[in-house]
Amino acid sequence: MAPSAPSAPPAPPAPGAWFDSHCHLQDQYLPGSEGGTDPAAAGAGSSAPEPLGPGVRDALGRAVAAGVGQLVCVGTDLATSAQALALAGAVRELAPAGLVDPVGPVVWATVGLHPHDASAGTDGIATLLAATLARGDATLVGIGECGLDYHYEHSPRGAQRSAFAEQIQLARTHDLTLVVHARDAWDDLFDVLGAEGVPERAVLHCFTGGPAEARRCLDLGMYVSFSGIITFKNAAEVRAAAALCPPERLLVETDSPFLAPVPHRGRPNEPAFVPLVGEAVAAVRGVSAAEVARDSAEAARRAFVPAG
């Protein structure tokens, strides 16, 4: 019997197939930056700082070259939320939705207060949200990142829980996706979510738990997003969670400029590295990277930009 022909390698992901569901591309996160957009000037025309400076444009260009077609730029306080909106709006003005060249991927934005800054209170975020909704800004898709972080506790736990609860209600009231941060606070996190009610669409970003925590998220109807942590040697529990997560609920992200995946660990992260996260997820699940790119992008669109 003649030997069988070797099987063809799996097809690579299509251009623009990847969706980075969580990144921070604001200028203040880029090397050499000295601050961000003035919240009062966001959307105010020439008085606002340029949201697409060379660093942002270069990062978007590298993302396009890496096959990234869409991304969500996430706010963590008033200034970064305003800048995320300005960045997404500038891209939208320069390139019609769906066009990735020459400016870069389609960019969406969220506004939120990170638990590190919970002591500042949510009034500023609520005011920015109201103004954004009033002008009908279609780039706004979510509230957050918000949640609980008991690892660093830069804000008291009570302030964190209050700010988280208030942002859950903003997401529910305005039918926006809730973007959740959780570190060393699982029980309290699920207690607050249970008390307030999980919005129709909620994403547990940069998942750091194991199978038990992933199942609790899935049981609540949440999406689970995996970052470069999945490539770290000590992340066996995260990989086990990725293996059990159904494809329709699994997202990939960079959380750039933080948590660059192997082999870039220790360097600033960027959306162009999201295929490395997806490839690690594919290896854990025993599927092709193209399948993860397709399924995770479809899930991200359902999570953030539902039809209608």
Side-chain angles (χ1 to χ4, degrees):
M1 179 181 297
S4 59
S7 58
W18 293 103
F19 192 134
D20 185 352
S21 69
H22 191 113
C23 65
H24 306 280
L25 264 184
Q26 297 91 331
D27 278 338
Q28 74 180 64
Y29 290 112
L30 298 177
S33 174
E34 296 182 359
T37 298
D38 178 359
S46 60
S47 63
E50 170 56 55
L52 288 180
V56 176
R57 285 180 177 268
D58 289 349
L60 291 172
R62 289 190 295 271
V64 169
V68 181
Q70 291 180 287
L71 59 85
V72 178
C73 186
V74 174
T76 57
D77 59 15
L78 182 56
T80 58
S81 295
Q83 195 175 39
L85 291 166
L87 191 160
V91 172
R92 189 66 58 94
E93 289 177 6
L94 294 174
L99 180 65
V100 297
D101 289 319
V103 177
V106 177
V107 180
W108 310 93
T110 74
V111 300
L113 187 69
H114 194 283
H116 288 347
D117 300 301
S119 295
T122 61
D123 287 351
I125 293 298
T127 299
L128 176 62
L129 174 63
T132 304
L133 293 170
R135 68 173 183 264
D137 189 337
T139 66
L140 174 64
V141 293
I143 300 294
E145 64 184 281
C146 57
L148 303 177
D149 192 313
Y150 292 175
H151 182 79
Y152 289 109
E153 293 195 73
H154 291 324
S155 288
R157 294 185 178 189
Q160 291 189 43
R161 289 191 290 268
S162 294
F164 184 32
E166 290 164 10
Q167 290 176 91
I168 293 171
Q169 290 308 314
L170 288 174
R172 287 170 56 86
T173 298
H174 299 291
D175 191 27
L176 291 167
T177 303
L178 183 72
V179 180
V180 180
H181 172 106
R183 188 166 186 188
D184 295 347
W186 291 108
D187 288 339
D188 278 9
L189 184 96
F190 290 121
D191 284 347
V192 175
L193 286 169
E196 300 299 324
V198 180
E200 183 177 349
R201 299 178 307 280
V203 177
L204 197 298
H205 108 91
C206 192
F207 184 80
T208 57
E213 291 78 19
R215 290 189 183 95
R216 292 183 75 177
C217 291
L218 295 168
D219 287 346
L220 290 173
M222 300 176 72
Y223 295 84
V224 182
S225 185
F226 293 89
S227 70
I229 290 174
I230 197 170
T231 69
F232 297 176
K233 288 182 179 179
N234 63 348
E237 286 288 286
V238 174
R239 287 187 285 274
L244 69 84
C245 190
E248 66 272 14
R249 290 284 171 177
L250 186 152
L251 311 183
V252 292
E253 64 171 270
T254 57
D255 198 17
S256 52
F258 314 107
L259 300 172
V262 174
H264 302 291
R265 192 172 183 185
R267 290 175 45 192
N269 201 0
E270 59 179 283
F273 295 162
V274 79
L276 295 172
V277 178
E279 289 163 8
V281 171
V284 166
R285 297 174 67 82
V287 300
S288 69
E291 185 173 336
V292 171
R294 181 198 67 214
D295 291 347
S296 63
E298 289 177 356
R301 285 188 286 271
R302 287 193 301 272
F304 288 103
V305 286

